[in-house]
Amino acid sequence: MLITFKSAAGADVIMFGEIAKRLVAILGKDPQDGKGIVTVEQLPDAIARLRAAIDEDKARQTDHPQDDDDDEDDPDPERHGMAAPVSLAQRAWPLLDLLLLSQKDGVPVVWGV
């Protein structure tokens, strides 16, 4: 399942369902609802929530770096480079950019429509 975030301010942001639902929840919206909107009035709060989640994810990565060669708890030490997992912070940046552009242009962000 794909979810497409749309705004007149920028290009569509397309994400797989599970990460998109997680980001929708971070924005303060119902992740089970297939359609949604972040109104112009809601954009500042949504941006703040997403930035906080990105900062928290980056801090977690700093506390527990994934590239330690001597990490015996790493279930798959061969997952480096292109095979490395993509963090929430990395996945959230395109949506954050769209929210910021939307705020600048004074237009909402929608999905599922």
Side-chain angles (χ1 to χ4, degrees):
M1 180 173 132
L2 293 174
I3 295 179
T4 304
F5 295 93
K6 299 180 178 201
S7 172
D12 292 354
V13 174
I14 302 170
M15 294 185 184
F16 285 108
E18 289 308 310
I19 189 63
K21 286 181 180 181
R22 189 169 171 198
L23 293 174
V24 166
I26 289 169
L27 297 177
K29 300 295 182 172
D30 181 4
Q32 300 308 315
D33 192 353
K35 296 179 181 179
I37 184 169
V38 178
T39 64
V40 174
E41 295 78 20
Q42 295 168 336
L43 282 168
D45 182 56
I47 290 167
R49 287 170 170 261
L50 194 53
R51 278 191 171 145
I54 289 170
D55 291 344
E56 181 180 317
D57 189 57
K58 284 183 178 182
R60 187 174 28 256
Q61 290 175 37
T62 302
D63 291 343
H64 303 290
Q66 296 294 322
D67 57 354
D68 282 346
D69 291 334
D70 59 345
D71 187 3
E72 295 176 11
D73 294 334
D74 189 0
D76 189 358
E78 298 299 316
R79 295 188 69 191
H80 297 286
M82 292 297 292
V86 180
S87 71
L88 174 80
Q90 291 169 311
R91 292 184 189 273
W93 274 110
L95 180 56
L96 179 60
D97 278 346
L98 186 62
L99 292 170
L100 290 168
L101 288 170
S102 297
Q103 183 180 36
K104 180 182 173 194
D105 288 359
V107 294
V109 175
V110 298
W111 59 94
V113 292

